Amino acid sequence: MLGVIGGSGFYSFFGPEARTVTVDTPYGSPSAPVTVGAVGGHEVAFLPRHGVSHEYSPHTVPYRANMWALRSLGVRRIFAPCAVGSLTTDLGPGSIVVPDQLVDRTRGRADTYFDSGGIHVSFADPYCPALRSVAAGLPGVVDGATMVVIQGPRFSTRAESRWFADQGFTLVNMTGYPEAVLARELEMCYAAIAMVTDLDAGIETGSGVTTVDVMVEFERNLVPFKKLVHEALAAVATERACTHCLAHDGVKLPFELP
């Protein structure tokens, strides 16, 4: 089974033919019930990251429950569409980018399943190369970017966004961490597909980023963005061949993965 985790403005994925599955986990309930349907010959599970009515802010999303729920349903490969700000004028609103690197600037988020046992996962390359290749190979998609993940829920100051840009970061987001590392701990392939909704505060003049502007831009591009995610799913190989994301090969875990 493949998985899709929808970001801001991305609250549904299937028509009425999809079935709904309620999942409980050792970490509580996920953001919403999971809907399961078919895309391109694959069974696909969809979970809205922020809930069906956007009731979860970036710092309150139940990330551990979300990833555990998808794994327990049989998901092993995940695309994670998300809204991002751009830290360069080369990527304006409407651009679709598949990042290859991540910088964590969050704080206080539960970001591991292994509070004991001395388990460490390799995270040098945080995204699955096989899934990245599929998404980045679609027409009009930009391949490669460093996404800095901030705590939120506020947007960056101008000084912060200029600092991020000076560091060579390309995109700014609030939810890409700890989602990616939790996927790695659960040995699930994971790739983000980012849609640029705005130029960050330090990159353009004016009043800065607003929620209304972000949501308007996302809604304007939602239909083609969903179509692109459908195309990415349909292009995924039937059998999973990736070994990059098998983080625990040769390691004895303190508990069994779901």
Side-chain angles (χ1 to χ4, degrees), residues 112-180:
T112 183
Y113 295 104
F114 299 106
D115 291 321
S116 63
I119 304 301
H120 309 276
V121 297
S122 175
F123 203 54
D125 297 297
Y127 302 109
C128 171
L131 289 186
R132 282 196 68 259
S133 177
V134 169
L138 296 175
V141 175
V142 177
D143 181 9
T146 295
M147 184 167 74
V148 57
V149 184
I150 62 174
Q151 177 69 2
R154 70 169 178 85
F155 295 114
S156 302
T157 66
R158 295 188 197 282
E160 287 169 337
S161 63
R162 289 176 188 134
W163 176 42
F164 296 151
D166 287 345
Q167 297 304 306
F169 309 154
T170 320
L171 308 172
V172 58
N173 166 265
M174 297 180 187
T175 57
Y177 189 91
E179 203 169 84

Side-chain angles (χ1 to χ4, degrees), residues 16-95:
E17 73 284 353
R19 59 187 174 93
T20 300
V21 182
T22 300
V23 185
D24 196 18
T25 81
Y27 305 95
S29 300
S31 298
V34 180
T35 53
V36 179
V39 177
H42 297 287
E43 190 175 31
V44 178
F46 173 78
L47 178 63
R49 181 183 294 116
H50 296 280
V52 294
S53 301
H54 206 113
E55 55 266 42
Y56 292 100
S57 290
H59 64 297
T60 65
V61 170
Y63 294 101
R64 290 194 295 181
N66 286 353
M67 306 309 286
W68 191 277
L70 291 173
R71 164 97 190 187
S72 68
L73 288 175
V75 171
R76 296 295 182 270
R77 293 175 288 180
I78 296 173
F79 283 120
C82 58
V84 299
S86 174
L87 295 166
T88 170
T89 54
D90 293 339
L91 297 172
S95 299

Side-chain angles (χ1 to χ4, degrees), residues 189-209:
C189 295
Y190 176 98
I193 305 177
M195 187 180 81
V196 175
T197 57
D198 59 273
L199 294 177
D200 210 45
I203 310 305
E204 71 170 356
T205 59
S207 59
V209 183

